[in-house]
Amino acid sequence: MPYMRFKENNTGGNNKRALNIKWNARDGVISLVFLTVVLVAVYYGSAQLLKVFGEREFFNSSNIGNMSFIVLYSIQVVLMLGVVWYFALFRRKSGLRDLGLRYYSIFKTIWYSFISLIAIFLVSFLYVFFMNSTFGIEAPSSKIEVLVRNGSLSSNILLIVVTVIAPLSEEVFFRGFLYSAFKKSWGVNVALFLSSFLFAAVHLEIYSFIPIMIIGWLLAYLFEKTKSLMPAIFLHGVYNLVLILILLGELEIIKLY
């Protein structure tokens, strides 16, 4: 069944759930270009600077230190949330509720997350099986898996980042801001595709691009149906938590991304 574009001027109970989106796709595209240019400049500039001091392996995930990881990831988070603040809150005078930061039923959030996790793990299993049986391609180690296996980062830092900071910041940016911007200008279907495509692209995982894109689509779909980021943030956090616990516990069950 095709997705229908929801009108923002509904009356009654639906009006309470409607999001007043004042920013648009132009704001989203400008923010993406800005983030890309600045982050590339920061990483490339830092790498070149550190080479001067003989730290050539600074960006190697096998030996990156706690402080380096915290600094680099903090820059990324600040920039992501910064563009959301500028375009949605400051420039367009919207509120946090319009970004989806509003309460949603805890029971429904847990239930939707449970069903979604089953679907995600099933799709991941089938994808890995298909790639291996059809093309003979084994699932490579992800960046986070390399970090865990080499013990180059504190497990406490990893847990906080992947289960709290990453889900919150990424959902605010990709679903609350980008998805809403694309939806306002181009409709639900285009917004679902573009936001999930970009979500997969920024993870820089070629092998797992399709599974990550499916996860991004599901997160955006949850946000569209609930008009709240709470289910998406919770699902994102729980999914990451399951993966990181599997890696930290060295349970070689299956490589899920």
Side-chain angles (χ1 to χ4, degrees), residues 82-95:
V83 297
V84 173
W85 170 83
Y86 177 75
F87 285 105
L89 304 182
F90 177 75
R91 187 179 180 187
R92 302 299 184 183
K93 308 301 181 184
S94 298

Side-chain angles (χ1 to χ4, degrees), residues 170-171 173-180 199 216 219-220 223 229:
E170 290 179 7
E171 291 311 310
F173 181 76
F174 285 101
R175 258 60 70 175
F177 178 68
L178 273 189
Y179 170 78
S180 296
F199 179 67
L219 290 167
F223 176 53
L229 283 178

Side-chain angles (χ1 to χ4, degrees), residues 192-255:
L192 283 170
F193 174 79
L194 284 180
S195 63
S196 57
F197 179 87
L198 291 169
F199 179 67
V202 300
H203 281 79
L204 301 177
E205 298 281 358
I206 297 177
Y207 175 87
S208 47
F209 184 92
I210 293 178
I212 294 177
M213 185 173 176
I214 293 174
I215 293 172
W217 185 94
L218 182 58
L219 290 167
Y221 181 80
L222 272 178
F223 176 53
E224 171 61 33
K225 290 302 181 183
T226 63
K227 299 297 184 292
S228 170
L229 283 178
M230 183 175 172
I233 292 173
F234 184 79
L235 171 59
H236 196 156
V238 171
Y239 174 75
N240 284 357
L241 176 62
V242 171
L243 296 190
I244 199 69
L245 289 179
I246 290 176
L247 292 174
L248 289 174
E250 296 183 353
L251 299 179
E252 297 284 355
I253 300 176
I254 185 172
K255 293 182 179 179

Side-chain angles (χ1 to χ4, degrees), residues 46-140:
S46 300
Q48 295 303 310
L49 180 63
L50 288 165
K51 284 182 180 180
V52 176
F53 297 97
E55 298 291 339
R56 296 179 179 274
E57 299 299 323
F58 178 79
F59 291 103
N60 191 319
S61 57
S62 65
N63 65 356
I64 187 172
N66 290 325
M67 185 56 65
S68 301
F69 178 79
I70 291 174
V71 170
L72 292 175
Y73 194 78
S74 296
I75 292 174
Q76 177 180 316
V77 170
V78 169
L79 287 173
M80 286 173 58
L81 297 182
V83 297
V84 173
W85 170 83
Y86 177 75
F87 285 105
L89 304 182
F90 177 75
R91 187 179 180 187
R92 302 299 184 183
K93 308 301 181 184
S94 298
L96 293 175
R97 286 177 57 83
D98 298 319
L99 286 165
L101 294 172
R102 52 174 67 181
Y103 174 79
Y104 190 75
S105 168
I106 296 177
F107 175 78
K108 289 183 178 179
T109 293
I110 295 175
W111 174 245
Y112 292 159
S113 297
F114 174 73
I115 298 299
S116 299
L117 283 174
I118 294 177
I120 290 172
F121 290 141
L122 178 60
V123 169
S124 298
F125 173 81
L126 292 176
Y127 177 79
V128 173
F129 177 79
F130 174 78
M131 294 296 287
N132 187 18
S133 61
T134 304
F135 302 105
I137 301 176
E138 295 286 345

Side-chain angles (χ1 to χ4, degrees), residues 118-172:
I118 294 177
I120 290 172
F121 290 141
L122 178 60
V123 169
S124 298
F125 173 81
L126 292 176
Y127 177 79
V128 173
F129 177 79
F130 174 78
M131 294 296 287
N132 187 18
S133 61
T134 304
F135 302 105
I137 301 176
E138 295 286 345
S141 297
S142 64
K143 295 180 180 63
I144 192 67
E145 185 174 354
V146 173
L147 289 173
V148 172
R149 298 299 187 196
N150 288 279
S152 55
L153 282 182
S154 165
S155 58
N156 291 330
I157 292 177
L158 279 175
L159 280 171
I160 293 174
V161 169
V162 303
T163 63
V164 180
I165 300 177
L168 177 60
S169 60
E170 290 179 7
E171 291 311 310
V172 168

